[in-house]
Amino acid sequence: CVWVSVSLSADLLLHDPSLTEGRRLIELGAGVGLAGLVTADCTNAASVVITDGNQEVVKYIRHNVEATLRDGGELSVQLISLF
């Protein structure tokens, strides 16, 4: 399941990648990591950190990163607890 807001964010970044140029970004509670993956792969962001609070989800995000991203840019996937 992908939230509508994530799809809209990814679409916006695909149409205007300059929004993130040179910026450091973090995606909190990423789920599948779509917004972070799009940002890392399709923009010139300085760095992207994709996070989630569920260890299994983080494992799947790491798999998605390995399966889809080209080389370039700084990207990390981290387990984080917000509470």
Side-chain angles (χ1 to χ4, degrees):
C1 172
V2 175
W3 291 90
V4 172
S5 59
V6 173
S7 296
L8 292 172
S9 297
D11 189 56
L12 177 64
L13 293 172
L14 287 171
H15 285 90
D16 191 359
S18 67
L19 292 171
T20 61
E21 190 164 342
R23 297 182 187 268
R24 297 179 303 162
L25 302 161
I26 184 167
E27 181 180 12
L28 298 171
V32 296
L34 177 63
L37 288 166
V38 169
T39 303
D41 199 40
C42 301
T43 73
N44 288 321
S47 66
V48 177
V49 178
I50 303 173
T51 70
D52 201 275
N54 182 304
Q55 181 63 46
E56 283 298 304
V57 171
V58 168
K59 181 176 102 176
Y60 290 116
I61 295 169
R62 287 189 175 125
H63 171 78
N64 290 340
V65 166
E66 293 171 5
T68 61
L69 285 188
R70 302 175 293 201
D71 290 337
E74 183 180 327
L75 172 67
S76 65
V77 180
Q78 299 178 11
L79 178 67
I80 187 171
S81 176
L82 299 175
F83 304 100

